[in-house]
Amino acid sequence: MSVESARAFYERIATDKVFQKQLQNAVSDEQRLEIVLTAGYSFTQKEWSATLAQISKSDDSISDAELDAIAGGVSTIPYQPTNRVWSLKQIGFGKHLHKLFDPSGWSIRTKITVALLSVALIPVSFTTYHNLQESLKSAEDSEYRKLELLATSNASRLDQLIIDIQRVAVQISTDKDVVGFLAANTIHKQTAFRTSMQRTLDNVFRSNPDYDVAYVMDTKGRCLAATDSTFISQNYALGEYFRISIQGHPYVSSIVIGTTSGRPGIYFSNPVRSEGGKIVGVAVLKIKGEDIWTIVNALQAGSQSYAFLIDEHGVIISHPDKSLLYHSLASLPPEKRQQGETDRIYGVNQIKSLDVPELAAAIVGAKQTSHTSYYSPVEQTRQMIGFAPLQEQPWVLGVNKAHAQFDAPLNALIWQNSRSLLAVGAIAAIIALLLARSIAKPIRALTKAAQALVEQDDFDEHRLIKASYTNDDIGQLVRVFLQMAQEVKAREQKLKQQVLELNIEIDQAKKVRQVADITQTDYFQQLQQKAQKIKGRTIKNDETEIDYFQQLHQKAQNFKGRTIRSS
């Protein structure tokens, strides 16, 4: 029912001048809508589309300009609960859209142009897209490789630094004055070694500006001598570096905050053994944390890149943004977090999380150089990172770079490829249009000539002469058409001549038939008998033979005229 309503609405617009005028004179869309509803028309968009498809195939469809002039914009027509009808402007658009996606209605020039453009651009587009993707992948792999190399280089530098300082710590723990001082069992013996031992510690401390402090402890964890007097007499038995080294193992801490100095640093500790192999104390060498940060922060891969260092727990121990120090990449297990906060090994009351689990999963505890990307809630952008583990410590050094910085040259590459594709497309479009025009022009001329031949019995041959000179299929078609047209004209002339001759034969046969009709009548037979009798009669004296036959001829003519009029 609604499809019929849509069809009726369209037909009424096309035929009802009064209804058209009424819609044209409406002052608003609401008034137009009221007019349409009052007229009893209601249909859905789907039903209108079906109606439109039928109308567009017919030859009596209304043009878009006429539709707009009639109604301008009937926006919605309710039908049932919540359906709508397209505006009249949308009707015209829908018609064009339907024709656009109906190749059977395209002109030959459009078809040839689309075909040529498709043949030219589709392979080029696929090739360009493939090459672009390969270029982007190659550029991305190259950038990741660069970040990995930077991370590996700096990790190796830190490894070498740790090895060098460990050797110095071993030298302190094996120095004869240090061993003698800690192994002395009397105050007198300790006093004999103290001066030389202190000189050893001071010489080591002054040998490298990266050193923060050097000191030795007894088996109870009490500091007996140090290059910083504030350390003397302090007890560090609870320190992890003491607890591990007093058991006979060398130890390297993370970058932690000192409980006495309050300064960040890395603690290198080694057990001190007597000549008999007995552990008599612990020697400690601490390097400045700022110097490690300087080494790490000096590594950059661009203006928006930076390097950072994490320990085995995923806690940041070096970062250019000091506010992010001692934050974990992801939430720590409760026992680890509680231990770190209780022992204050990082010098903070609470270890906060940066909440980047995808980065933590890839980098924490990594055993080999690799790369990844992640979304940073701090920078609020996508980041790419290359990372490398240290060999001497379970730490991982990462080199971070904003993806936007990496995207800048890639966007330039994409735009360059796009411009090349557009240039190729423009050239292909021009060639396709010219070629389509050269093909379609003689076809259109041929169509018009055929139409003129049918309607006017003649056509202008001069428009086809030029096209007939070519040796392609179009030229062959034009030549065949001209030959056919000539033959058609010759046959038509021959047919007309045959018709004319046939008409003459028909007229002669008609006359013969009329004469036969006259001579076969009873009256004509009687007249002929009378003529025979008169012919045998003697001519009167006062008339000549010529006069007699003239009278007889006059009677015959009168008789013939009377007979024809009666027929």
Side-chain angles (χ1 to χ4, degrees):
M1 176 179 179
S2 296
V3 175
E4 288 78 1
S5 178
R7 180 71 185 189
F9 172 67
Y10 189 93
E11 291 177 350
R12 185 169 180 182
I13 289 177
T15 58
D16 193 338
K17 301 298 182 182
V18 176
F19 190 58
Q20 293 180 9
K21 198 69 174 178
Q22 188 179 7
L23 290 173
Q24 288 176 345
N25 295 334
V27 297
S28 64
D29 290 344
E30 289 75 10
Q31 187 174 357
R32 291 190 183 94
L33 178 60
E34 184 179 355
I35 293 172
V36 174
L37 291 174
T38 303
Y41 299 107
S42 62
F43 42 88
T44 65
Q45 178 178 337
K46 182 177 180 181
E47 292 162 344
W48 176 252
S49 299
T51 304
L52 182 63
Q54 297 176 358
I55 294 174
S56 62
K57 294 179 180 179
S58 63
D59 296 332
D60 58 346
S61 58
I62 307 173
S63 67
D64 299 339
E66 292 173 339
L67 286 174
D68 290 339
I70 294 170
V74 178
S75 58
T76 57
I77 300 178
Y79 175 78
Q80 295 299 331
T82 56
N83 292 328
R84 63 184 291 273
V85 162
W86 289 0
S87 68
L88 294 180
K89 289 182 179 180
Q90 291 172 316
I91 292 174
F93 176 77
K95 288 169 57 182
H96 288 295
L97 191 64
H98 176 75
K99 292 180 180 179
L100 179 63
F101 291 101
D102 184 15
S104 61
W106 294 353
S107 65
I108 185 66
R109 181 165 60 181
T110 302
K111 291 180 179 179
I112 294 174
T113 302
V114 171
L116 293 177
L117 285 177
S118 300
V119 171
L121 293 183
I122 290 178
V124 173
S125 299
F126 276 108
T127 303
T128 302
Y129 176 78
H130 175 74
N131 293 338
L132 179 60
Q133 291 300 315
E134 291 296 322
S135 299
L136 294 178
K137 186 177 183 301
S138 177
E140 188 176 33
D141 291 342
S142 176
E143 188 66 23
Y144 276 125
R145 182 59 180 165
K146 176 182 176 182
L147 295 177
E148 290 177 4
L149 290 175
L150 288 172
T152 302
S153 174
N154 220 36
S156 299
R157 183 181 176 186
L158 290 177
D159 278 329
Q160 188 60 48
L161 177 63
I162 292 173
I163 292 173
D164 293 341
I165 297 176
Q166 279 180 323
R167 289 173 180 172
V168 176
V170 171
Q171 289 176 359
I172 295 174
S173 65
T174 57
D175 183 82
K176 64 179 182 177
D177 294 327
V178 173
V179 174
F181 176 78
L182 293 176
N185 52 11
T186 64
I187 297 177
H188 178 72
K189 290 181 179 180
Q190 284 185 345
T191 302
F193 286 103
R194 179 177 291 278
T195 302
S196 57
M197 180 202 64
Q198 186 65 43
R199 186 183 303 112
T200 299
L201 294 179
D202 291 338
N203 289 337
V204 170
F205 176 74
R206 286 191 296 266
S207 67
N208 193 327
D210 293 337
Y211 296 155
D212 185 275
V213 65
Y215 57 97
V216 294
M217 297 177 291
D218 61 15
T219 56
K220 303 296 183 181
R222 185 167 59 94
C223 180
L224 301 179
T227 57
D228 187 345
S229 59
T230 59
F231 282 76
I232 298 175
S233 299
Q234 297 289 336
N235 193 300
Y236 300 106
L238 297 179
E240 189 174 8
Y241 56 90
F242 174 79
R243 289 187 282 110
I244 292 178
S245 292
I246 200 65
Q247 296 177 5
H249 306 289
Y251 175 79
V252 180
S253 73
S254 180
I255 301 179
V256 296
I257 305 297
T259 57
T260 301
S261 64
R263 298 187 297 267
I266 301 177
Y267 292 82
F268 294 81
S269 62
N270 270 281
V272 179
R273 300 177 184 271
S274 65
E275 293 181 357
K278 180 181 178 181
I279 296 177
V280 294
V282 175
V284 179
L285 178 61
K286 177 185 177 183
I287 65 172
K288 298 175 182 178
E290 290 88 347
D291 293 335
I292 300 297
W293 294 344
T294 301
I295 295 173
V296 175
N297 295 340
L299 183 62
Q300 291 186 347
S303 59
Q304 300 181 21
S305 66
Y306 58 87
F308 63 94
L309 189 64
I310 63 170
D311 64 9
E312 65 273 22
H313 304 302
V315 177
I316 298 175
I317 56 177
S318 177
H319 198 285
D321 186 356
K322 297 299 187 291
S323 64
L324 299 180
L325 285 173
Y326 308 119
H327 284 66
S328 61
L329 297 180
S331 298
L332 295 176
E335 63 277 5
K336 292 290 184 182
R337 186 178 68 253
Q338 184 177 2
Q339 180 184 357
E341 294 172 352
T342 302
D343 296 345
R344 292 181 58 82
I345 58 176
Y346 300 113
V348 294
N349 297 324
Q350 183 180 5
I351 302 175
K352 298 180 180 179
S353 172
L354 296 181
D355 195 21
V356 280
E358 56 179 333
L359 176 60
I363 193 173
V364 176
K367 301 301 181 181
Q368 59 184 4
T369 302
S370 185
H371 63 266
T372 187
S373 64
Y374 69 99
Y375 178 80
S376 172
V378 178
E379 288 86 358
Q380 294 186 347
T381 56
R382 195 75 186 171
Q383 304 288 317
M384 53 194 309
I385 179 174
F387 55 89
L390 275 68
Q391 301 300 318
E392 299 299 321
Q393 284 293 101
W395 303 342
V396 178
L397 178 70
V399 181
N400 195 91
K401 185 175 184 178
H403 213 289
Q405 185 182 9
F406 169 70
D407 287 340
L410 295 185
N411 291 334
L413 179 62
I414 292 173
W415 176 237
Q416 182 179 0
N417 280 270
S418 300
R419 284 186 297 180
S420 300
L421 182 60
L422 289 174
V424 172
I427 295 173
I430 294 174
I431 296 175
L433 288 173
L434 293 176
L435 185 58
R437 184 175 180 273
S438 65
I439 296 175
K441 185 176 180 181
I443 293 178
R444 289 200 304 270
L446 194 62
T447 303
K448 291 181 180 179
Q451 186 176 2
L453 184 63
V454 172
E455 296 177 353
Q456 303 174 8
D457 199 21
D458 198 3
F459 65 94
D460 187 2
E461 295 184 3
H462 297 289
R463 294 184 177 181
L464 299 177
I465 294 300
K466 185 177 180 180
S468 65
Y469 292 155
T470 60
N471 296 322
D472 56 7
D473 295 338
I474 298 296
Q476 179 67 21
L477 177 62
V478 172
R479 290 192 294 272
V480 170
F481 176 82
L482 291 175
Q483 182 179 359
M484 179 197 69
Q486 293 176 357
E487 292 180 359
V488 168
K489 286 183 178 180
R491 290 179 182 178
E492 186 178 5
Q493 292 296 330
K494 184 177 180 180
L495 181 61
K496 287 181 179 180
Q497 183 64 32
Q498 291 177 349
V499 171
L500 180 61
E501 293 176 355
L502 181 61
N503 288 336
I504 293 174
E505 291 178 0
I506 292 174
D507 291 340
Q508 290 178 352
K510 183 177 180 181
K511 290 180 181 180
V512 172
R513 188 169 59 253
Q514 289 176 349
V515 172
D517 291 341
I518 294 172
T519 57
Q520 291 177 5
T521 59
D522 296 338
Y523 182 78
F524 185 83
Q525 295 293 335
Q526 294 175 2
L527 183 61
Q528 191 176 22
Q529 292 177 1
K530 289 180 179 181
Q532 292 294 335
K533 290 180 179 180
I534 293 172
K535 198 174 183 181
R537 190 183 61 179
T538 303
I539 301 175
K540 296 181 180 180
N541 296 330
D542 57 349
E543 63 180 354
T544 65
E545 186 175 358
I546 294 173
D547 293 334
Y548 174 77
F549 279 102
Q550 287 179 348
Q551 293 177 2
L552 184 61
H553 179 71
Q554 184 66 36
K555 289 181 181 181
Q557 290 293 331
N558 293 337
F559 174 76
K560 184 178 180 181
R562 185 178 60 185
T563 306
I564 293 174
R565 284 194 299 270
S566 63
S567 62

